[in-house]
Amino acid sequence: MRHDRSIELAPSVKPQFDYETLSALPEWYVIVARCGACGHEDELDRRAIGRRFGKNVKLVSLPMRLRCRPPCGNRVGNRLFLRKLGR
Ligand SMILES: [Zn+2]
């Protein structure tokens, strides 16, 4: 099932969004990662990503740098979504 307020970030297709880097992403977007193995979804902490990878990290490069939480630990096929914050 798709979340209609989500934008998928997929490195293999032309990005459907205008925000290439973390620093360009408006604050009202939440970055959500979904594991390709177990389907676990988690919101990412933008500030933590900024500290770890730098503010200018390309968003499409994030999925392959992420790892699912234990015991899954999967790093393959993970996907990122942008979700607009509700108010
Ligand atoms: Zn997983």
Side-chain angles (χ1 to χ4, degrees), residues 7-20 60:
I7 306 168
E8 180 171 0
L9 298 181
S12 56
V13 298
K14 194 164 186 286
Q16 306 165 2
F17 62 99
D18 299 325
Y19 314 113
E20 281 197 13
V60 292

Side-chain angles (χ1 to χ4, degrees), residues 9-69:
L9 298 181
S12 56
V13 298
K14 194 164 186 286
Q16 306 165 2
F17 62 99
D18 299 325
Y19 314 113
E20 281 197 13
T21 63
L22 184 64
S23 58
L25 187 68
E27 299 212 338
W28 55 85
Y29 278 107
V30 176
I31 305 172
V32 180
R34 182 184 298 162
C35 175
C38 72
H40 176 78
E41 250 184 51
D42 217 352
E43 291 186 2
L44 303 179
D45 184 340
R46 294 173 54 143
R47 279 168 295 187
I49 292 176
R51 278 196 302 269
R52 190 164 159 199
F53 301 120
K55 281 194 304 184
N56 293 317
V57 64
K58 287 208 187 311
L59 295 176
V60 292
S61 76
L62 284 177
M64 52 207 88
R65 301 185 190 206
L66 299 171
R67 191 187 327 191
C68 191
R69 60 175 56 174

